[in-house]
Amino acid sequence: LVYNRGFQANWMQAMEECSYGFAMVSLWKLVVCAETQAECVSQYAVIVDDLFRANDWREIASNGWGLFGFLDRVRPALKRHEFRLDFNPEELQGNFSGLPASPLWGVGSTALQAAVKGGRFSASFAGVLESVLAGLPQTYTVPAAEGAAGGLEVRRFLYITMVFGPRYVPYIPRFVARAETLGLRNLALFCLDDAALESCRELPGNREGRCIPGTPS
């Protein structure tokens, strides 16, 4: 029934005739997506979200479809993994009021290492800062935003990707070599485990600012 062509072709009618039954079908498809292709989750999540927003929760809980009970049973499948935040909230918000001005800032500087050990910076933010200090981002110009003074705006661009785990760490050398062959020298890797960080740092050439430490989520 869930994937019946007739049902799918007349989904608007089905939603009008039995909104909670339709929501249960959407929830079931959402769980299938979460366990296989996560990119289709939002397609069904919006239907369930709208139903929860438009109806009294007591009506939702008391009808015979048992939506909340179903959600509780599939909770382990929907919660794919725990979440860790590598950056401090202030760093993500761009609040650098506590960032001291120091002539000692530089790639591998003791001042930067001391800031991480003292808890003033996260290790990931220090890694990003090292990328900037190493001159890794490439400069380019674009037309200025409407209302801005001048006709051109100068920006800096950096390619960043993440890598971790035994399935992907062995590909790091070839991935980086291929990127350099294509001229992508402004590339940094977020290395989310020790093996990835070690592999990145052991690559030939200048690796300053190109290997940023992190943790897997």
Side-chain angles (χ1 to χ4, degrees):
L1 173 64
V2 172
Y3 291 103
N4 179 273
R5 291 186 178 181
F7 178 79
Q8 292 180 332
N10 299 284
W11 65 271
M12 292 189 67
Q13 179 182 350
M15 186 165 58
E16 291 178 359
E17 291 181 354
C18 185
S19 58
Y20 291 117
F22 187 84
M24 180 60 78
V25 170
S26 300
L27 271 178
W28 191 86
K29 290 183 176 181
L30 185 151
V31 173
V32 173
C33 287
E35 294 177 338
T36 53
Q37 294 178 302
E39 60 268 19
C40 67
V41 166
S42 59
Q43 176 181 349
Y44 302 106
V46 65
I47 298 173
V48 180
D49 287 344
D50 287 345
L51 181 129
F52 284 168
R53 293 175 186 274
N55 296 276
D56 190 295
W57 69 269
R58 290 166 292 191
E59 180 181 328
I60 299 173
S62 61
N63 72 70
W65 286 98
L67 295 174
F68 288 144
F70 180 78
L71 281 172
D72 184 63
R73 289 194 297 274
V74 300
R75 183 170 48 181
L78 297 178
K79 185 179 179 181
R80 303 289 293 277
H81 48 64
E82 63 179 330
F83 179 79
R84 296 191 185 99
L85 189 62
D86 286 324
F87 294 89
N88 297 330
E90 294 78 10
E91 296 168 352
L92 293 175
Q93 295 168 2
N95 180 13
F96 305 126
S97 58
L99 181 65
S102 173
L104 300 178
W105 294 138
V107 178
S109 69
T110 55
L112 192 56
Q113 295 173 8
V116 174
K117 291 182 179 179
R120 290 156 56 198
F121 294 163
S122 66
S124 295
F125 177 75
V128 173
L129 189 57
E130 281 196 337
S131 297
V132 175
L133 293 171
L136 201 56
Q138 290 186 351
T139 302
Y140 68 103
T141 57
V142 296
E146 185 177 351
L152 295 176
E153 181 180 350
V154 178
R155 297 182 180 181
R156 290 192 291 178
F157 186 76
L158 182 66
Y159 289 101
I160 299 179
T161 188
M162 67 176 183
V163 59
F164 68 97
R167 292 181 58 187
Y168 298 103
V169 168
Y171 293 102
I172 290 176
R174 283 179 287 174
F175 177 83
V176 173
R178 181 60 176 166
E180 291 180 350
T181 300
L182 295 173
L184 304 180
R185 302 191 181 280
N186 54 330
L187 171 68
L189 301 184
F190 253 108
C191 304
L192 304 188
D193 59 22
D194 293 338
L197 188 61
E198 181 180 357
S199 176
C200 179
R201 287 175 172 172
E202 288 181 349
L203 293 176
N206 181 8
R207 303 304 301 164
E208 291 182 346
R210 298 181 182 273
C211 309
I212 303 172
T215 54
S217 293

PDB file of all heavy atoms in Angstrom, residues 175-197:
ATOM      1  N   PHE A 175      44.021  11.332  -3.090  1.00  0.00           N
ATOM      2  CA  PHE A 175      43.064  12.428  -3.194  1.00  0.00           C
ATOM      3  C   PHE A 175      43.791  13.773  -3.251  1.00  0.00           C
ATOM      4  O   PHE A 175      43.500  14.623  -4.108  1.00  0.00           O
ATOM      5  CB  PHE A 175      42.108  12.402  -2.004  1.00  0.00           C
ATOM      6  CG  PHE A 175      41.115  13.534  -1.974  1.00  0.00           C
ATOM      7  CD1 PHE A 175      39.940  13.463  -2.710  1.00  0.00           C
ATOM      8  CD2 PHE A 175      41.353  14.671  -1.222  1.00  0.00           C
ATOM      9  CE1 PHE A 175      39.028  14.515  -2.692  1.00  0.00           C
ATOM     10  CE2 PHE A 175      40.450  15.716  -1.196  1.00  0.00           C
ATOM     11  CZ  PHE A 175      39.286  15.635  -1.934  1.00  0.00           C
ATOM     12  N   VAL A 176      44.740  13.967  -2.350  1.00  0.00           N
ATOM     13  CA  VAL A 176      45.485  15.225  -2.310  1.00  0.00           C
ATOM     14  C   VAL A 176      46.340  15.381  -3.565  1.00  0.00           C
ATOM     15  O   VAL A 176      46.426  16.475  -4.147  1.00  0.00           O
ATOM     16  CB  VAL A 176      46.356  15.295  -1.043  1.00  0.00           C
ATOM     17  CG1 VAL A 176      47.273  16.513  -1.078  1.00  0.00           C
ATOM     18  CG2 VAL A 176      45.473  15.337   0.202  1.00  0.00           C
ATOM     19  N   ALA A 177      46.971  14.286  -4.011  1.00  0.00           N
ATOM     20  CA  ALA A 177      47.797  14.350  -5.223  1.00  0.00           C
ATOM     21  C   ALA A 177      46.957  14.739  -6.436  1.00  0.00           C
ATOM     22  O   ALA A 177      47.379  15.535  -7.283  1.00  0.00           O
ATOM     23  CB  ALA A 177      48.493  13.008  -5.456  1.00  0.00           C
ATOM     24  N   ARG A 178      45.747  14.175  -6.518  1.00  0.00           N
ATOM     25  CA  ARG A 178      44.864  14.501  -7.637  1.00  0.00           C
ATOM     26  C   ARG A 178      44.432  15.954  -7.583  1.00  0.00           C
ATOM     27  O   ARG A 178      44.372  16.643  -8.617  1.00  0.00           O
ATOM     28  CB  ARG A 178      43.627  13.593  -7.609  1.00  0.00           C
ATOM     29  CG  ARG A 178      42.641  13.832  -8.744  1.00  0.00           C
ATOM     30  CD  ARG A 178      43.276  13.603 -10.086  1.00  0.00           C
ATOM     31  NE  ARG A 178      42.304  13.752 -11.163  1.00  0.00           N
ATOM     32  CZ  ARG A 178      42.614  13.865 -12.436  1.00  0.00           C
ATOM     33  NH1 ARG A 178      43.891  13.843 -12.817  1.00  0.00           N
ATOM     34  NH2 ARG A 178      41.677  14.002 -13.359  1.00  0.00           N
ATOM     35  N   ALA A 179      44.136  16.458  -6.374  1.00  0.00           N
ATOM     36  CA  ALA A 179      43.745  17.863  -6.227  1.00  0.00           C
ATOM     37  C   ALA A 179      44.875  18.793  -6.664  1.00  0.00           C
ATOM     38  O   ALA A 179      44.641  19.798  -7.344  1.00  0.00           O
ATOM     39  CB  ALA A 179      43.355  18.142  -4.782  1.00  0.00           C
ATOM     40  N   GLU A 180      46.091  18.463  -6.297  1.00  0.00           N
ATOM     41  CA  GLU A 180      47.231  19.296  -6.686  1.00  0.00           C
ATOM     42  C   GLU A 180      47.470  19.240  -8.186  1.00  0.00           C
ATOM     43  O   GLU A 180      47.858  20.229  -8.810  1.00  0.00           O
ATOM     44  CB  GLU A 180      48.476  18.856  -5.915  1.00  0.00           C
ATOM     45  CG  GLU A 180      48.390  19.168  -4.420  1.00  0.00           C
ATOM     46  CD  GLU A 180      49.631  18.729  -3.672  1.00  0.00           C
ATOM     47  OE1 GLU A 180      50.472  18.021  -4.283  1.00  0.00           O
ATOM     48  OE2 GLU A 180      49.765  19.076  -2.481  1.00  0.00           O
ATOM     49  N   THR A 181      47.226  18.072  -8.784  1.00  0.00           N
ATOM     50  CA  THR A 181      47.354  17.950 -10.237  1.00  0.00           C
ATOM     51  C   THR A 181      46.374  18.871 -10.950  1.00  0.00           C
ATOM     52  O   THR A 181      46.677  19.442 -12.004  1.00  0.00           O
ATOM     53  CB  THR A 181      47.104  16.492 -10.681  1.00  0.00           C
ATOM     54  OG1 THR A 181      48.073  15.646 -10.052  1.00  0.00           O
ATOM     55  CG2 THR A 181      47.206  16.346 -12.192  1.00  0.00           C
ATOM     56  N   LEU A 182      45.196  19.037 -10.363  1.00  0.00           N
ATOM     57  CA  LEU A 182      44.165  19.901 -10.934  1.00  0.00           C
ATOM     58  C   LEU A 182      44.367  21.365 -10.570  1.00  0.00           C
ATOM     59  O   LEU A 182      43.562  22.215 -10.948  1.00  0.00           O
ATOM     60  CB  LEU A 182      42.778  19.443 -10.460  1.00  0.00           C
ATOM     61  CG  LEU A 182      42.341  18.052 -10.936  1.00  0.00           C
ATOM     62  CD1 LEU A 182      41.038  17.645 -10.274  1.00  0.00           C
ATOM     63  CD2 LEU A 182      42.194  18.024 -12.454  1.00  0.00           C
ATOM     64  N   GLY A 183      45.427  21.650  -9.816  1.00  0.00           N
ATOM     65  CA  GLY A 183      45.729  23.023  -9.446  1.00  0.00           C
ATOM     66  C   GLY A 183      45.035  23.521  -8.202  1.00  0.00           C
ATOM     67  O   GLY A 183      45.059  24.727  -7.917  1.00  0.00           O
ATOM     68  N   LEU A 184      44.410  22.619  -7.437  1.00  0.00           N
ATOM     69  CA  LEU A 184      43.709  23.023  -6.207  1.00  0.00           C
ATOM     70  C   LEU A 184      44.686  22.994  -5.034  1.00  0.00           C
ATOM     71  O   LEU A 184      44.665  22.095  -4.203  1.00  0.00           O
ATOM     72  CB  LEU A 184      42.522  22.090  -5.946  1.00  0.00           C
ATOM     73  CG  LEU A 184      41.505  21.974  -7.078  1.00  0.00           C
ATOM     74  CD1 LEU A 184      40.392  21.018  -6.698  1.00  0.00           C
ATOM     75  CD2 LEU A 184      40.938  23.342  -7.439  1.00  0.00           C
ATOM     76  N   ARG A 185      45.530  23.999  -4.981  1.00  0.00           N
ATOM     77  CA  ARG A 185      46.541  24.044  -3.921  1.00  0.00           C
ATOM     78  C   ARG A 185      46.014  24.713  -2.657  1.00  0.00           C
ATOM     79  O   ARG A 185      46.681  24.680  -1.624  1.00  0.00           O
ATOM     80  CB  ARG A 185      47.792  24.767  -4.429  1.00  0.00           C
ATOM     81  CG  ARG A 185      48.367  24.095  -5.679  1.00  0.00           C
ATOM     82  CD  ARG A 185      49.728  24.625  -6.052  1.00  0.00           C
ATOM     83  NE  ARG A 185      50.222  23.970  -7.251  1.00  0.00           N
ATOM     84  CZ  ARG A 185      50.784  22.767  -7.277  1.00  0.00           C
ATOM     85  NH1 ARG A 185      50.923  22.098  -6.148  1.00  0.00           N
ATOM     86  NH2 ARG A 185      51.198  22.249  -8.413  1.00  0.00           N
ATOM     87  N   ASN A 186      44.861  25.331  -2.726  1.00  0.00           N
ATOM     88  CA  ASN A 186      44.233  25.928  -1.542  1.00  0.00           C
ATOM     89  C   ASN A 186      43.251  24.933  -0.932  1.00  0.00           C
ATOM     90  O   ASN A 186      42.069  25.201  -0.767  1.00  0.00           O
ATOM     91  CB  ASN A 186      43.551  27.238  -1.895  1.00  0.00           C
ATOM     92  CG  ASN A 186      42.568  27.096  -3.048  1.00  0.00           C
ATOM     93  OD1 ASN A 186      42.742  26.264  -3.929  1.00  0.00           O
ATOM     94  ND2 ASN A 186      41.528  27.928  -3.050  1.00  0.00           N
ATOM     95  N   LEU A 187      43.765  23.751  -0.592  1.00  0.00           N
ATOM     96  CA  LEU A 187      42.951  22.656  -0.046  1.00  0.00           C
ATOM     97  C   LEU A 187      43.412  22.308   1.362  1.00  0.00           C
ATOM     98  O   LEU A 187      44.604  22.125   1.602  1.00  0.00           O
ATOM     99  CB  LEU A 187      43.058  21.417  -0.942  1.00  0.00           C
ATOM    100  CG  LEU A 187      42.445  20.118  -0.400  1.00  0.00           C
ATOM    101  CD1 LEU A 187      40.919  20.239  -0.337  1.00  0.00           C
ATOM    102  CD2 LEU A 187      42.849  18.921  -1.257  1.00  0.00           C
ATOM    103  N   ALA A 188      42.452  22.229   2.287  1.00  0.00           N
ATOM    104  CA  ALA A 188      42.736  21.802   3.660  1.00  0.00           C
ATOM    105  C   ALA A 188      41.829  20.624   4.003  1.00  0.00           C
ATOM    106  O   ALA A 188      40.696  20.542   3.526  1.00  0.00           O
ATOM    107  CB  ALA A 188      42.516  22.939   4.646  1.00  0.00           C
ATOM    108  N   LEU A 189      42.335  19.715   4.820  1.00  0.00           N
ATOM    109  CA  LEU A 189      41.561  18.549   5.237  1.00  0.00           C
ATOM    110  C   LEU A 189      41.211  18.657   6.710  1.00  0.00           C
ATOM    111  O   LEU A 189      42.083  18.875   7.550  1.00  0.00           O
ATOM    112  CB  LEU A 189      42.361  17.255   5.005  1.00  0.00           C
ATOM    113  CG  LEU A 189      42.823  16.935   3.584  1.00  0.00           C
ATOM    114  CD1 LEU A 189      43.513  15.574   3.563  1.00  0.00           C
ATOM    115  CD2 LEU A 189      41.665  16.957   2.621  1.00  0.00           C
ATOM    116  N   PHE A 190      39.916  18.506   7.016  1.00  0.00           N
ATOM    117  CA  PHE A 190      39.495  18.336   8.403  1.00  0.00           C
ATOM    118  C   PHE A 190      39.678  16.862   8.739  1.00  0.00           C
ATOM    119  O   PHE A 190      38.939  16.007   8.248  1.00  0.00           O
ATOM    120  CB  PHE A 190      38.029  18.744   8.582  1.00  0.00           C
ATOM    121  CG  PHE A 190      37.855  20.036   9.299  1.00  0.00           C
ATOM    122  CD1 PHE A 190      37.446  21.172   8.620  1.00  0.00           C
ATOM    123  CD2 PHE A 190      38.108  20.133  10.658  1.00  0.00           C
ATOM    124  CE1 PHE A 190      37.281  22.373   9.277  1.00  0.00           C
ATOM    125  CE2 PHE A 190      37.952  21.333  11.326  1.00  0.00           C
ATOM    126  CZ  PHE A 190      37.536  22.463  10.632  1.00  0.00           C
ATOM    127  N   CYS A 191      40.671  16.563   9.547  1.00  0.00           N
ATOM    128  CA  CYS A 191      41.020  15.182   9.886  1.00  0.00           C
ATOM    129  C   CYS A 191      40.341  14.822  11.202  1.00  0.00           C
ATOM    130  O   CYS A 191      40.747  15.301  12.267  1.00  0.00           O
ATOM    131  CB  CYS A 191      42.533  15.031   9.995  1.00  0.00           C
ATOM    132  SG  CYS A 191      43.401  15.550   8.493  1.00  0.00           S
ATOM    133  N   LEU A 192      39.309  13.989  11.136  1.00  0.00           N
ATOM    134  CA  LEU A 192      38.457  13.752  12.295  1.00  0.00           C
ATOM    135  C   LEU A 192      38.885  12.565  13.147  1.00  0.00           C
ATOM    136  O   LEU A 192      38.138  12.160  14.043  1.00  0.00           O
ATOM    137  CB  LEU A 192      36.999  13.580  11.840  1.00  0.00           C
ATOM    138  CG  LEU A 192      36.429  14.739  11.015  1.00  0.00           C
ATOM    139  CD1 LEU A 192      34.942  14.542  10.787  1.00  0.00           C
ATOM    140  CD2 LEU A 192      36.699  16.081  11.674  1.00  0.00           C
ATOM    141  N   ASP A 193      40.044  12.003  12.895  1.00  0.00           N
ATOM    142  CA  ASP A 193      40.618  11.031  13.823  1.00  0.00           C
ATOM    143  C   ASP A 193      42.143  11.083  13.697  1.00  0.00           C
ATOM    144  O   ASP A 193      42.689  11.741  12.787  1.00  0.00           O
ATOM    145  CB  ASP A 193      40.076   9.614  13.608  1.00  0.00           C
ATOM    146  CG  ASP A 193      40.328   9.061  12.219  1.00  0.00           C
ATOM    147  OD1 ASP A 193      41.251   9.553  11.535  1.00  0.00           O
ATOM    148  OD2 ASP A 193      39.615   8.132  11.816  1.00  0.00           O
ATOM    149  N   ASP A 194      42.836  10.416  14.614  1.00  0.00           N
ATOM    150  CA  ASP A 194      44.302  10.489  14.648  1.00  0.00           C
ATOM    151  C   ASP A 194      44.940   9.907  13.399  1.00  0.00           C
ATOM    152  O   ASP A 194      45.956  10.424  12.905  1.00  0.00           O
ATOM    153  CB  ASP A 194      44.826   9.756  15.892  1.00  0.00           C
ATOM    154  CG  ASP A 194      44.441  10.460  17.181  1.00  0.00           C
ATOM    155  OD1 ASP A 194      44.156  11.673  17.138  1.00  0.00           O
ATOM    156  OD2 ASP A 194      44.412   9.786  18.242  1.00  0.00           O
ATOM    157  N   ALA A 195      44.360   8.828  12.862  1.00  0.00           N
ATOM    158  CA  ALA A 195      44.936   8.192  11.679  1.00  0.00           C
ATOM    159  C   ALA A 195      44.889   9.131  10.476  1.00  0.00           C
ATOM    160  O   ALA A 195      45.851   9.222   9.704  1.00  0.00           O
ATOM    161  CB  ALA A 195      44.195   6.893  11.370  1.00  0.00           C
ATOM    162  N   ALA A 196      43.780   9.848  10.318  1.00  0.00           N
ATOM    163  CA  ALA A 196      43.655  10.793   9.209  1.00  0.00           C
ATOM    164  C   ALA A 196      44.626  11.954   9.370  1.00  0.00           C
ATOM    165  O   ALA A 196      45.267  12.388   8.395  1.00  0.00           O
ATOM    166  CB  ALA A 196      42.219  11.312   9.123  1.00  0.00           C
ATOM    167  N   LEU A 197      44.758  12.451  10.596  1.00  0.00           N
ATOM    168  CA  LEU A 197      45.661  13.570  10.855  1.00  0.00           C
ATOM    169  C   LEU A 197      47.112  13.165  10.581  1.00  0.00           C
ATOM    170  O   LEU A 197      47.878  13.918   9.969  1.00  0.00           O
ATOM    171  CB  LEU A 197      45.498  14.050  12.292  1.00  0.00           C
ATOM    172  CG  LEU A 197      46.223  15.341  12.675  1.00  0.00           C
ATOM    173  CD1 LEU A 197      45.725  16.509  11.835  1.00  0.00           C
ATOM    174  CD2 LEU A 197      46.036  15.641  14.163  1.00  0.00           C
TER     175      LEU A 197
END
